[in-house]
Amino acid sequence: LCLIRRVTRLQAMSLLPLLAMGEHVGHPLVELRGVRNVHIFANKSVPKLVDGEPVSAEALKTTIRPLALKVIC
């Protein structure tokens, strides 16, 4: 799970390229946590992307299954 602390718009804009390139790891405003379950709640229905697909909901619950997908390189 990638958590970004409360940031200003300017800070958010400076973080976007780092996120896109995968260079956000180690940034002082970014925290990475290993989790198995994630529950996200909002006060109103907000658009979210789930695996690249748009979803609109007030709550989102997902479970991470380690080693559930085999990748062949």
Side-chain angles (χ1 to χ4, degrees):
L1 177 68
C2 177
L3 297 171
I4 299 176
R5 303 199 187 289
R6 186 174 295 242
V7 295
T8 65
R9 287 185 185 188
L10 182 60
Q11 289 171 316
M13 294 303 290
S14 69
L15 278 171
L16 285 176
L18 298 176
L19 290 165
M21 300 298 290
E23 297 175 358
H24 57 288
V25 178
H27 191 284
L29 295 174
V30 176
E31 181 180 345
L32 297 177
R33 293 186 184 181
V35 298
R36 290 197 183 252
N37 297 296
V38 176
H39 298 230
I40 300 171
F41 300 95
N43 293 332
K44 61 181 181 177
S45 185
V46 294
K48 301 167 190 69
L49 289 178
V50 177
D51 197 24
E53 299 295 324
V55 175
S56 184
E58 292 178 8
L60 176 68
K61 178 181 176 182
T62 189
T63 300
I64 292 83
R65 295 177 45 205
L67 305 173
L69 177 66
K70 291 186 179 188
V71 178
I72 301 171
C73 297

